[in-house]
Amino acid sequence: MLNKIYDWIDERLDITPIWRDIADHEVPEHVNPAHHFSAFVYCFGGLTFFVVVIQILSGMFLAMYYVPDIKNAWESVYYLQYEVAFGQIVRGMHHWGASIVIVMMFLHTLRVFFQGAYKKPRELNWIVGVCIFAVMLGLGLTGYLLPWDMKALFATKVTLNIVESVPLIGPWLKTLLAGDPYITGAQTLARFFAIHVFFLPAALLLLIGIHFILIRRQGISGPL
């Protein structure tokens, strides 16, 4: 049955050459842990992507129950964690994954930097990677407020004060994020939710796509 479905799709879209090209792509010997023990450092990028996928899937599940308003945000998180089947597990995956993905990206960035993989002809991919890092930090920052508890509220106020200290554009950036130059309330929660769920994920998927295309075209960098 599955073969018939695949043949029907392949006859119309000719997908076999696409996945064959991906599956048959040769991996350089220096990234094979069976041949070189140091090759494990090349796994950081793939592990980062794996955690990102977990974050996206778990975030989609959380968004089904989360209510982004100051009256119901905390209650919806409580209901998700203690009333929904497997809700505590999924929220735990999303919570800890937010920290793990930063650690993995940091290790991946260190590998690229110390092995000189940011040099010609991979400068553009390095810039894209730094942008991905910034987007992931933004996702962590905006997601921290969403449970709408006291810790998240005061931590976000500190963050907004730091943003306000940026020369020239600081007050404008704070108003853009908070929705109001003085109050952290309903507008701030709504904006952080929109940024966390729509704007930053869209930017992340675009940058990851560019990142993978550049890696495929330029190949995996060589050893130190």
Side-chain angles (χ1 to χ4, degrees):
M1 181 64 179
L2 292 177
N3 289 336
K4 291 183 178 179
I5 295 175
Y6 175 83
D7 292 338
W8 185 86
I9 296 174
D10 187 48
E11 184 179 357
R12 287 153 180 79
L13 300 178
D14 194 24
I15 61 175
T16 297
I18 299 175
W19 72 263
R20 277 291 183 188
D21 181 60
I22 296 174
D24 296 340
H25 183 68
E26 293 186 2
V27 178
E29 183 178 347
H30 65 273
V31 302
N32 188 346
H35 296 162
H36 299 277
F37 176 74
S38 61
F40 76 92
V41 298
Y42 289 92
C43 298
F44 293 143
L47 291 174
T48 301
F49 178 70
F50 176 72
V51 180
V52 168
V53 172
I54 292 178
Q55 289 299 95
I56 293 173
L57 295 177
S58 60
M60 293 169 62
F61 178 83
L62 298 179
M64 295 174 62
Y65 295 92
Y66 181 73
V67 181
D69 69 69
I70 58 176
K71 293 183 178 180
N72 298 296
W74 188 88
E75 286 82 358
S76 65
V77 173
Y78 183 91
Y79 174 79
L80 166 69
Q81 183 160 343
Y82 296 105
E83 301 295 336
V84 177
F86 306 108
Q88 189 170 13
I89 295 176
V90 177
R91 191 192 172 206
M93 292 171 60
H94 199 75
H95 172 80
W96 291 108
S99 299
I100 294 173
V101 72
I102 298 299
V103 174
M104 296 308 304
M105 287 197 68
F106 182 69
L107 293 175
H108 180 55
T109 303
L110 288 180
R111 197 279 300 174
V112 173
F113 179 78
F114 284 111
Q115 289 193 329
Y118 60 89
K119 298 178 181 179
K120 184 180 179 180
R122 297 182 173 85
E123 306 97 326
L124 178 59
N125 212 6
W126 169 260
I127 295 173
V128 172
V130 171
C131 291
I132 294 175
F133 206 157
V135 169
M136 292 305 304
L137 290 174
L139 284 166
L141 170 66
T142 53
Y144 199 84
L145 178 65
L146 299 186
W148 199 246
D149 54 14
M150 295 305 295
K151 180 175 66 173
L153 179 62
F154 285 109
T156 302
K157 285 186 175 182
V158 172
T159 301
L160 291 175
N161 289 334
I162 294 174
V163 170
E164 189 178 21
S165 66
V166 175
L168 299 178
I169 62 173
W172 179 82
L173 284 176
K174 180 182 178 182
T175 303
L176 177 66
L177 290 174
D180 187 282
Y182 304 106
I183 302 173
T184 301
Q187 287 195 41
T188 306
L189 181 62
R191 292 198 179 202
F192 272 52
F193 176 76
I195 294 171
H196 186 77
V197 174
F198 299 110
F199 292 94
L200 290 181
L204 178 65
L205 293 176
L206 175 62
L207 290 170
I208 288 178
I210 297 173
H211 194 59
F212 284 162
I213 291 173
L214 291 174
I215 291 175
R216 186 58 186 272
R217 287 183 175 272
Q218 299 168 348
I220 301 176
S221 61
L224 182 67

